Amino acid sequence: MQANALLPQALGSFVASLLFVTAALFPIVNPLGMAPIFLSYTAGVGAGTRDQLARRIAYNSFILAAVSLIAGSHLLHFFGLSLPAVQIGGGLVVAATGWRILNRGADDPERRAPTPSPEAVLASAFYPLTMPLTVGPGSIAVMLAIGSNAPAASAGNDYLLPEALGGLAGVAVVALSVYVSYRYAEPILRRLGDSGINVLLRLSAFILLCLGVQILLNGYRAVGLAG
């Protein structure tokens, strides 16, 4: 009888955690906004390679975000790192990546490097396509904050496991959206035409550059407040 009474509350904790993590992570990952950048990295390769790469990125994104949520704060403590250090270092990487893509989008097609091989494209599944382009320092910082606050908020109750499972389910939902957005980026964006994709690519790269600068500023601000 008591178990039947606890089940709705446990389910409610699971759903609330799922929705909270999804709502917090999805806007930062922004899979639809990153789709043009994914296409720029996979230009000239076949649909099969693109599908395999999208699957790898989604899997890597889930692992990276899930580890950050469950054990990220412990890993930072183990290596003696602070969250501002992650933000500053990651912000530099994101800003540099956005700047490079922004300039590459402006290049003359005849001066661009030759199309990379499928093996070379697949080799970039983790860096830079997963980290920092998909799950970057901003996403990791959010997962660290949620993971470090959830145990304290859940201490002394019976719903820690449903909340943890709900958080992982939220990460899985975002990872699935990454796969769908990247896998079907070409047919979706094809309607825009070459000029439309080029404009969207430059806009996405500029937003990525600004995001890196903002993450960098957040890290400096945190260091200043701590000092």
Side-chain angles (χ1 to χ4, degrees):
M1 191 72 176
Q2 185 179 2
N4 292 335
L6 291 176
L7 183 59
Q9 298 181 14
L11 181 60
S13 297
F14 174 87
V15 173
S17 181
L18 185 156
L19 295 177
F20 179 74
V21 170
T22 302
L25 187 59
F26 185 84
I28 303 175
V29 174
N30 189 18
L32 292 175
M34 292 298 103
I37 296 178
F38 172 81
L39 276 184
S40 74
Y41 271 92
T42 57
V45 301
T49 301
R50 188 176 287 114
D51 176 67
Q52 186 178 359
L53 183 61
R55 197 181 307 116
R56 289 188 183 182
I57 295 172
Y59 175 79
N60 292 339
S61 298
F62 174 80
I63 296 299
L64 188 57
V67 169
S68 300
L69 177 66
I70 301 300
S73 58
H74 301 290
L75 291 175
L76 289 183
H77 179 73
F78 176 80
F79 288 106
L81 300 174
S82 65
L83 184 56
V86 174
Q87 291 175 315
I88 292 173
L92 288 172
V93 174
V94 172
T97 303
W99 177 257
R100 184 172 65 250
I101 296 174
L102 186 63
N103 286 329
R104 186 174 63 184
D107 287 342
D108 188 332
E110 295 182 357
R111 298 169 54 192
R112 293 181 185 177
T115 301
S117 64
E119 292 76 15
V121 172
L122 292 174
S124 64
F126 184 80
Y127 179 85
L129 291 176
T130 299
M131 172 71 182
L133 290 180
T134 303
V135 177
S139 304
I140 292 175
V142 169
M143 292 296 97
L144 287 174
I146 295 175
S148 60
N149 291 329
S154 303
N157 65 45
D158 299 324
Y159 307 117
L160 179 58
L161 180 59
E163 288 179 3
L165 293 177
L168 291 176
V171 173
V173 169
V174 175
L176 179 61
S177 71
V178 168
Y179 171 74
V180 173
S181 299
Y182 288 3
R183 170 63 181 85
Y184 299 101
E186 185 178 22
I188 293 174
L189 298 178
R190 187 185 302 150
R191 299 176 180 272
L192 298 176
D194 292 339
S195 60
I197 291 177
N198 188 38
V199 170
L200 191 58
L201 172 63
R202 294 191 189 186
L203 180 61
S204 299
F206 180 70
I207 292 174
L208 189 67
L209 172 62
C210 295
L211 180 62
V213 173
Q214 183 62 58
I215 295 170
L216 180 64
L217 292 176
N218 291 343
Y220 275 120
R221 188 178 299 113
V223 170
L225 291 176

